[in-house]
Amino acid sequence: MTQRIFDVENEKDMQDLWDILPDGIIKISPNNLAEETSLWSELNLFTLPIGLIKINWHGKTEIFRPLQEATEADAGKLCYFWDDDETIAYGLLSEVIIKERKSLKYGCCEGRRWTHARRLTKQEIEELC
């Protein structure tokens, strides 16, 4: 049986790779010196032996999970909020505001508006508690 090699330039391979990893993992990077692969979440770093998951990196040094921003269906759910200046917060999504040109703003229960928001995974909620 041949082990699959995930190609960072193949959209289907990347979708399959992110599907097999825990939801909280947001970034993967190789550490060739230590011969391991680093898996990053918002709160933790995990390492795997470099051959456990084979990735054709094509010279890239990291790959990121595509972000699924919050929708109106996520109102009342615990979310991670951030702005482009790297300010972050956690809280309940109170509203999704659609502005001109379909740009979104996300309202938090504290009344602040954020540029980005995504619903937290169950694993992330457990790690925060």
Side-chain angles (χ1 to χ4, degrees):
M1 183 172 180
T2 306
Q3 183 178 0
R4 180 171 180 183
I5 300 173
F6 296 95
D7 188 326
V8 298
E9 294 183 356
N10 181 306
E11 187 177 332
K12 175 72 170 121
D13 280 359
M14 289 298 91
Q15 181 181 350
D16 291 347
L17 175 61
W18 291 114
D19 284 347
I20 65 169
L21 293 172
D23 290 338
I25 301 300
I26 59 170
K27 179 175 87 168
I28 306 171
S29 61
N31 183 341
N32 295 327
L33 292 175
E35 295 187 359
E36 61 190 22
T37 301
S38 300
L39 306 176
W40 305 82
S41 75
E42 292 287 340
L43 305 171
N44 294 307
L45 163 67
F46 306 94
T47 58
L48 301 173
I50 207 156
L52 194 58
I53 296 177
K54 292 189 178 196
I55 300 173
N56 185 351
W57 291 93
H58 291 284
K60 294 185 179 182
T61 58
E62 58 190 14
I63 53 176
F64 293 89
R65 180 185 294 273
L67 289 177
Q68 175 64 44
E69 293 225 7
T71 66
E72 292 173 339
D74 295 318
K77 306 293 186 201
L78 191 57
C79 289
Y80 172 76
F81 298 89
W82 73 98
D83 283 329
D84 295 329
D85 66 357
E86 299 183 14
T87 305
I88 66 164
Y90 298 94
L92 296 179
L93 178 66
S94 60
E95 60 185 335
V96 177
I97 304 159
I98 301 173
K99 300 246 183 192
E100 308 174 12
R101 298 183 185 143
K102 296 189 177 187
S103 67
L104 301 174
K105 287 285 187 181
Y106 299 93
C108 186
C109 57
E110 289 84 27
R112 176 161 179 190
R113 301 236 190 306
W114 296 87
T115 308
H116 304 281
R118 70 169 176 80
R119 189 170 170 182
L120 291 175
T121 65
K122 290 179 183 179
Q123 180 180 347
E124 289 172 323
I125 293 169
E126 289 172 4
E127 290 174 5
L128 285 172
C129 294

